[in-house]
Amino acid sequence: ILAVAARVGPRGERLTGAVAEVRGLAGRFGGVVARVTGPGGASSLDAAELARFEVIHLAGHATVDDEHPWRSGILLVPQAGEREARYLRAGRIAELRLPARLVVLSSCASGSGTIVSGEGVIGLSSAFLSAGAPAVVATLWPVEDQATSRLMDRFYDALQRGKDAAAALREAQWALRQVPATRHPFFWAGFVVVGDGSVRVALSQRAGWVAWRWVQLAVLAAVIGAAVAVGWRSARPGADPGRAAA
């Protein structure tokens, strides 16, 4: 997996969810090359580097150029502090020959573009299909940083368990629908699979990650147990609610 995240967006906003996605993939799976671009990170990404990976994950801000669709791109380094903003452009991607089985564009409106008669939507997702990738996960509108990070965590969990791309995305979307804070379709419905949704990829889980996951679950269970105990004590007749809360 090549996993690349932009540290900041076009207005200088910190994309902490995008960075968490990339670092989470590196900590969870073997064979991950992780990179964070922008201030304090890597300078950029050369398009030719994409030709060495089975899965490509790009998290950041995407721009759509409706008039010149091949100039649509993913922002890797914003203009602030640089002579010019650096983009990975659709036209450059389409020139490549990629072995990637799956491309994940965890970016705003990465599935949008210009509709051309007889061709379909021309833009970032079609550029990766032209380069040889059979399946691209993209978005239809601007997405929220933290919710997207959680959706991607569930998506890769389903992929690792053998689900195909379409089924894995459906499972991740369903997970966000069950949480009140992300129940609105804005947070999950914009993600789509473009191309062959039956694509599967083999992901090797790092041995240490399983143990760390059990530690996380144990801590969570302890916190929930303590909260339940405090609530039970405060609910007893004659209990001092202030002391119980403390």
Side-chain angles (χ1 to χ4, degrees), residues 128-140:
F128 278 103
L129 295 176
S130 296
V136 179
V137 175
T139 58
L140 300 178

Side-chain angles (χ1 to χ4, degrees), residues 223 226-236 239-246:
V223 171
V228 170
V230 169
W232 178 79
R233 287 199 300 269
S234 64
R236 288 181 301 161
D240 180 356
R243 190 180 180 89

Side-chain angles (χ1 to χ4, degrees), residues 103-117:
V103 176
V104 179
L105 302 178
S106 184
S107 309
C108 297
S110 55
S112 302
T114 301
I115 300 177
V116 178
S117 179

Side-chain angles (χ1 to χ4, degrees), residues 84-200:
E84 62 178 5
R86 301 182 188 179
Y87 287 86
L88 181 61
R89 301 285 185 186
R92 178 71 181 96
I93 295 167
E95 295 173 349
L96 302 174
R97 289 297 173 264
L98 300 179
R101 297 276 299 154
L102 176 66
V103 176
V104 179
L105 302 178
S106 184
S107 309
C108 297
S110 55
S112 302
T114 301
I115 300 177
V116 178
S117 179
E119 295 290 340
V121 179
I122 305 299
L124 280 169
S125 56
S126 62
F128 278 103
L129 295 176
S130 296
V136 179
V137 175
T139 58
L140 300 178
W141 54 69
V143 292
E144 200 274 330
D145 186 47
Q146 297 298 324
T148 299
S149 181
R150 294 194 293 273
L151 183 142
M152 287 299 164
D153 180 67
R154 297 300 296 262
F155 173 69
Y156 278 96
D157 177 68
L159 284 179
Q160 194 273 330
R161 289 186 280 106
K163 295 285 185 74
D164 62 39
L169 181 59
R170 185 163 55 248
E171 182 175 311
Q173 291 172 314
W174 179 255
L176 261 66
R177 288 182 63 185
Q178 306 313 299
V179 179
T182 55
R183 183 171 297 160
H184 193 280
F186 165 76
F187 293 100
W188 52 266
F191 292 86
V192 295
V193 178
V194 182
D196 185 1
S198 67
V199 164
R200 287 180 168 85

